Amino acid sequence: ILLKANNEEAKRPAFCAGGDVKAVWEKGMAQDPATSQFFYQEYKVNHAIATCTKPIVSLWDGVVMGGGVGLSVHGKYRVATENTL
């Protein structure tokens, strides 16, 4: 299974570059109950990736943070280029 950013048109590609972090922080500050549901679902996906029997390769080329980290660090392989931050 291959995971990569889907924004080749961008000047500087990113793998989930933190937009989710800002949204979750804002909802948390507003005490929105959706915040805990967000993390519950995210951790279920992380667990599924970590326990997947197929090899998972994540390609990093640019900014990697927020949900991009959550999706990519639990797979078996990560490939980072010289552009990865």
Side-chain angles (χ1 to χ4, degrees), residues 7-78:
N7 60 349
E8 282 84 18
E9 300 84 32
K11 217 175 188 185
R12 183 126 197 197
F15 200 108
C16 296
D20 55 331
V21 174
K22 181 180 179 188
V24 170
W25 179 82
E26 289 172 347
K27 287 182 183 222
M29 293 303 290
Q31 298 182 351
D32 186 332
T35 305
S36 61
Q37 184 63 22
F38 171 86
F39 283 109
Y40 175 76
Q41 293 297 325
E42 180 180 349
Y43 294 154
K44 278 179 58 174
V45 171
N46 293 348
H47 180 264
I49 291 170
T51 59
C52 183
T53 57
K54 293 182 179 181
I56 297 178
V57 178
S58 296
L59 301 179
W60 294 351
D61 182 38
V63 178
V64 181
M65 61 185 287
V69 173
L71 288 172
S72 60
V73 300
H74 299 288
K76 186 160 184 158
Y77 304 103
R78 290 159 300 282

